[in-house]
Each structure stands twice: as structure tokens, then as C-alpha cells.
Amino acid sequence: MTRLTPDLIECVPEGKLALDDTLMKYTGHTMKSMALHAAGLPEDTDLSGITASVVPITSGMGIIGGFSQSVDAILRRLGIRSHVTEGTDVLGFSKAMDSGDDLVFMADDSMFVAYNVRERKYITNFYGTALGYATALDLASGGIKGKEALVIGAGFVGSRAARILRDMGADVIIADKICDKGKSVAAELGVRYSCDVEGTLSKNKNVLNAAPAIFPGRLIAEGAVISSPGVPHYYDEEGRRKASCIIHDPLEIGVATMATCSVAFFHHKEDASR
Ligand code: 2YC
């Protein structure tokens, strides 16, 4: 799991990433409407009745400058009444409980969760990111059902994204540079796998890149739709020219989809997979 750094998220609070412009152009949705769509909620759902606490966590490698503020800003952009707790860690969590907030967001070095207090269920950032970016690929590709979809990376996000794309009806291939990793996830999901990441990438037009890897433009298929949560994120000029679209952000789509999936617990009771 790649750890975010302050420089990657410093412009998230002001929303300067123009993410909505990119998403509107390629998916016909804003970040908010896409996240609601991903969670199976009506795209005009009013979230202003939802309250959330974001609890800074100091364990392990500690606070990431701007992280809690970025999560808080993303939730506010969805219309959720959010705030960062004054206390950190358990004190912060106790304040979140005392506030009676519906949702609690907190992340240590291993796990980032949105906890729905009333339903006593949580959504991980792995699942929120996988669902958000699989939804972006589905929308930007004009509907992924019946089409080939390449998932690069069989880790926490990639393996969940492969399952979600399979359930959307895509013909999924999963590729990981560690061949056995891709092979075992493919066997578990009943999808195809490849050990030749570069060769498979160059042949696929619908790609979800969940690997912390940078791929040269010579490998990008002409007209490829690339949904790309992986950090570090970079595509060279040739890659950017050949792709029909590249969708990426450091935090927003994942957090927004965590939030809408957490809210969805109030609407339908079955457990979203994590
Ligand atoms: O500021 C804080 O509360 C820190 N404890 C937050 C640590 C987040 C560590 N995780 C990451 O950097 C990202 C996640 C957003 C998803 C994967 N890596």
C-alpha cells in the first residue's frame, strides 16, 4: 500500500484538481454523482443530513500533513456535515462518539475506514477506491459489460477491482509483476490472468491500473481508457496522447465512494464487501 505524502494531497482541500471537469468530460458525472451511482444510490441523493467525524491517527508513521483536512474537505464537497475531531486517536474517537455523528473516518498505516456508527459496519478505502475506479472505467468505456478489462496489480485495490469488474460483466484479466499473486487472485475470482504485464497492457483498451508503477507511453494502446488509482501516478507525453482518457486523483474518488457506500448501509442492509 503506497503511503500518501503531503505534497500529493496539498491541493485537495481547495478542489483545484479540476477532477469534476475531467470526470464530467469522460463519465458524464461529477465526483459526487459518480460516487452515489457507484453505491447504488439515486444520483440526486441529499447528503446534508449526514454527519461525519474525521479522527487524526498518530500511530506508526504518524499524521500525514493535510490528510484529515483533505478527507474532511471531500466529505463537505458531498454535502456531508463533517469536521476533524480536536483530539487524535482514542480521544478523537471518543469525541466522535459523543458528537453522535453518523460516520467516523480514520486511517492508520495499514487501514483507512469509514465506520457507520448506527449500522455498526465499515467500508475500507481499498473497497471504496476499487469501486470508485471500476465505476469510472465502466462509465468512461461506455459500459464495460461484455468487454475485456485489464486490471494491473493484484493487491488490496486491484483484487477488489477485479471482482467488481467481473460482477459488472467484464471479461477480466488480472496481471501482476509477481506472477503467482495474479494467478492466485485470478483463480479465486474465476477470471483470466497474465504474467506479462507490459504485453497485456499494450493489447488492452480498458485498463484499471492499481499498481504503484509507471508505464511508458509505448505500452499504452491507442485510444485506451485508463482508470488509474495507483500512486505514484505518471504517464509520459506519448501515453497521454495515445490514451483516450486517464482518470486519477490521490484521494477523492476513494473517499467519496467510501462515504456513499457507508450511507447506503442506511438504505439497504446487506453488507457491501470490503
Ligand atoms: O494523518 C493521519 O491520520 C494518518 N494516520 C493517515 C495515514 C494514511 C496512510 N494511508 C495512505 O497514505 C493511503 C490511504 C489513503 C490509502 C492507501 N494509502
Side-chain angles (χ1 to χ4, degrees):
M1 180 174 85
T2 314
R3 184 179 172 84
L4 290 172
T5 53
D7 60 303
L8 290 175
I9 53 176
E10 62 187 1
C11 52
V12 172
E14 291 82 50
K16 283 192 207 135
L17 279 168
L19 181 63
D20 276 352
D21 298 344
T22 302
L23 288 177
M24 185 52 75
K25 181 177 178 186
Y26 295 117
T27 69
H29 282 69
T30 62
M31 179 196 70
K32 177 176 180 180
S33 68
M34 189 172 79
L36 287 165
H37 172 72
L41 293 173
E43 288 159 27
D44 60 355
T45 302
D46 176 6
L47 297 177
S48 61
I50 301 292
T51 55
S53 287
V54 182
V55 183
I57 303 294
T58 64
S59 66
M61 295 177 70
I63 300 281
I64 296 176
F67 178 80
S68 295
Q69 292 73 19
S70 294
V71 174
D72 180 53
I74 295 164
L75 297 177
R76 289 164 181 264
R77 215 164 287 149
L78 296 175
I80 290 173
R81 283 180 283 138
S82 173
H83 74 286
V84 178
T85 57
E86 274 162 37
T88 64
D89 306 295
V90 180
L91 174 62
F93 182 76
S94 67
K95 288 184 179 295
M97 293 299 101
D98 294 344
S99 68
D101 281 343
D102 299 311
L103 310 177
V104 181
F105 286 72
M106 50 190 163
D108 64 14
D109 295 350
S110 311
M111 184 62 83
F112 176 13
V113 298
Y115 179 58
N116 180 317
V117 179
R118 272 189 279 149
E119 297 299 322
R120 292 177 295 158
K121 291 176 183 159
Y122 71 91
I123 294 283
T124 66
N125 179 260
F126 301 133
Y127 182 77
T129 302
L131 179 60
Y133 276 88
T135 301
L137 183 60
D138 180 37
L139 292 166
S141 67
I144 202 66
K145 184 176 167 71
K147 294 177 185 172
E148 204 165 75
L150 168 64
V151 175
I152 304 178
F156 293 117
V157 172
S159 55
R160 286 168 175 79
R163 178 192 304 275
I164 290 163
L165 287 165
R166 176 201 69 184
D167 295 348
M168 286 177 172
D171 173 13
V172 174
I173 308 170
I174 190 158
D176 193 292
K177 67 178 185 331
I178 304 170
C179 195
D180 287 349
K181 215 171 153 188
K183 192 173 180 180
S184 61
V185 172
E188 181 199 335
L189 297 178
V191 300
R192 291 184 289 151
Y193 76 94
S194 167
C195 298
D196 174 14
V197 176
E198 296 199 353
T200 315
L201 173 58
S202 58
K203 290 199 267 310
N204 270 278
K205 293 195 71 166
N206 300 310
V207 179
L208 192 145
N209 177 17
I214 291 169
F215 296 101
R218 61 181 170 77
L219 296 176
I220 303 300
E222 204 61 53
V225 174
I226 306 178
S227 184
S228 204
V231 170
H233 171 78
Y234 172 76
Y235 291 85
D236 60 27
E237 193 282 328
E238 181 183 1
R240 292 195 303 271
R241 177 169 41 78
K242 290 165 74 176
S244 67
C245 80
I246 298 175
I247 294 167
H248 172 79
D249 82 281
L251 199 55
E252 297 185 68
I253 290 173
V255 169
T257 311
M258 285 169 84
T260 54
C261 287
S262 301
V263 169
F265 283 136
F266 292 128
H267 297 256
H268 36 79
K269 302 296 181 194
E270 78 275 359
D271 250 336
S273 65
R274 301 183 185 112

